Amino acid sequence: MLLPIGSRSAAPSFTRRRLLSTGTAGVLALIALPGCGAIRFGGPATYTPPPPGIDDLYRVDLLELLDRALAGAQILRDAADAAQTPDPSLSVVLEDLIISLPIQRTALLTGAQAEREQDGSSDPTGSAAASSDDAPQDGAGMIAVLVELRELAVDAARQVSGSLARPIAALAAHTAWSAKGLQRATDAGEVPALRVPEDLVASREVPDTDPPSVGAEVDYHSTLQDAQQQEWYAGYVHEVLAARTTDDERTQHLALSDRHRERAEQLGTIAEEDGGPVVLRQAVYALPGGELAAQLPTLVAQGLLVDHIALVGAAPFGRRPLPLIAALEAAETLVGRVETMDPLPSLAAEDLPTSDGG
């Protein structure tokens, strides 16, 4: 029954106590509504960090191997120093490792991890000094750890974000050079041959929350052009050197000339498919004279190393295997030609990316 507008029954009287009681009940009823979630008074809700991304998953394992390698290099250096007749070539390799490994390790730390280490707080991803129980104790063991580090770095560079792929590719190249150099100095252990690009496939599942991250197209096309030019030039250099040598040395130069020209053609095909500049082979290239002429193989390998590492950092995921293996091949070519190598070839300290991850 509808009540008249002026009826007293239409507007019941509320006391102050009853009004407050009704208001409180209404608020509590809202809090209890399903789907609104728990509401805590006096503090923020518990924060659940996102799952680790592919960069973090590889970073943890790489840091652990770098720690083991550094501890092993220190053990071998102490043993070499204690020897009455230390091997100079072994000392050079070990000293380079002891200088390079901490730099490589720092390059992989996130901004939060680096800050914690600078503050002296513990880092859950690993420490700078591994347990002596885990560290290699001899040359063969050290080479095995370096090979493991090389292979893990190659797998990581194939999958991680573009900004991290370049320093990891540089780390892999330096490690390939170190492993070959240490084997040459100790005549111990085994360094397996590098994999072919076709065998480099994604080996870990990428979390769904991971956003794809690759270099800008302009950087990709620029580095792709540089790599083509360097490969054509390398092919010409080794052809000229083959003409100046005989027997096995000539055969080796001819094989290298064919390999570099084939790779230049492969890069040209990639450039054509990806809308980048295609570099054509020139009939003649300028070659240095004098003392630099004798250093041509070294200079060519160093140029290839730098250009291919840069290409790994800028290329889409599926285009990384070819320059990645090319960079490691160039690094191995430099074994016996150079006594030291930059810890992260093609990168200076100020070029290293800084991650916000923790």
Side-chain angles (χ1 to χ4, degrees):
M1 179 179 65
L2 296 177
L3 297 175
I5 293 177
S7 169
R8 297 178 59 90
S9 300
S13 124
F14 286 93
T15 65
R16 178 179 176 84
R17 179 183 298 274
R18 183 177 179 187
L19 182 61
L20 291 173
S21 174
T22 303
T24 303
V27 171
L28 293 177
L30 287 175
I31 293 176
L33 285 176
C36 291
I39 297 180
R40 296 177 179 270
F41 294 99
T46 303
Y47 170 70
T48 302
I54 193 69
D55 286 9
D56 299 312
L57 294 173
Y58 273 116
R59 183 183 283 113
V60 169
D61 293 342
L62 286 169
L63 288 173
E64 189 272 334
L65 274 176
L66 285 168
D67 288 342
R68 285 173 55 198
L70 178 57
Q74 292 169 337
I75 290 173
L76 265 64
R77 183 187 62 177
D78 293 342
D81 291 343
Q84 294 182 351
T85 56
D87 184 347
S89 60
L90 176 59
S91 298
V92 169
V93 175
L94 293 176
E95 193 62 30
D96 181 84
L97 280 169
I98 290 172
I99 292 173
S100 299
L101 288 167
I103 296 174
Q104 294 167 351
R105 185 180 185 279
T106 300
L108 295 189
L109 296 177
T110 65
Q113 289 170 345
E115 185 176 350
R116 284 197 295 270
E117 291 203 353
Q118 290 175 357
D119 293 341
S121 55
S122 60
D123 181 5
T125 63
S127 61
S131 168
S132 58
D133 296 335
D134 298 329
Q137 306 293 317
D138 54 24
M142 185 68 193
I143 290 172
V145 171
L146 290 175
V147 170
E148 186 179 356
L149 177 60
R150 181 195 76 179
E151 293 302 293
L152 181 62
V154 167
D155 288 337
R158 171 65 177 79
Q159 282 193 267
V160 297
S161 63
S163 60
L164 191 58
R166 184 169 179 176
I168 289 182
L171 184 159
H174 184 278
T175 305
W177 175 80
S178 298
K180 281 282 190 179
L182 185 59
Q183 183 191 44
R184 180 178 178 178
T186 61
D187 195 24
E190 180 182 356
V191 180
L194 299 172
R195 287 175 280 175
V196 296
E198 293 74 19
D199 289 342
L200 300 190
V201 296
S203 57
R204 291 190 177 182
E205 183 176 353
V206 180
D208 295 334
T209 55
D210 243 31
S213 174
V214 295
E217 185 178 84
V218 63
D219 294 332
Y220 172 44
H221 288 171
S222 174
T223 54
L224 185 57
Q225 182 178 13
D226 291 342
Q228 290 176 76
Q229 291 173 338
Q230 193 65 236
E231 288 290 355
W232 283 127
Y233 182 73
Y236 178 78
V237 166
H238 284 288
E239 181 184 42
V240 171
L241 293 176
R244 297 175 180 176
T245 54
T246 58
D247 301 330
D248 291 344
E249 189 175 0
R250 179 178 184 275
T251 301
Q252 183 180 15
H253 281 303
L254 287 175
L256 288 173
S257 179
D258 291 340
R259 184 173 75 179
H260 290 302
R261 284 172 171 164
E262 180 182 359
R263 187 169 290 153
E265 292 176 349
Q266 292 173 332
L267 291 170
T269 300
I270 291 173
E272 186 174 9
E273 293 175 352
D274 293 357
V278 177
V279 178
L280 300 179
R281 173 183 172 182
Q282 298 180 24
V284 179
Y285 293 84
L287 298 180
E291 295 181 359
L292 289 179
Q295 301 177 23
L296 269 174
T298 300
L299 296 174
V300 166
Q302 289 174 328
L304 290 167
L305 177 64
V306 169
D307 285 342
H308 281 297
I309 289 175
L311 180 55
V312 171
F317 297 104
R319 299 302 195 187
R320 293 179 184 175
L322 190 150
L324 185 56
I325 294 302
L328 269 64
E329 286 180 352
E332 290 189 344
T333 301
L334 291 170
V335 174
R337 298 184 181 274
V338 295
E339 288 191 350
T340 60
M341 179 182 288
D342 289 341
L344 296 167
S346 85
L347 284 167
E350 57 269 21
D351 295 330
L352 297 177
T354 301
S355 171
D356 295 332

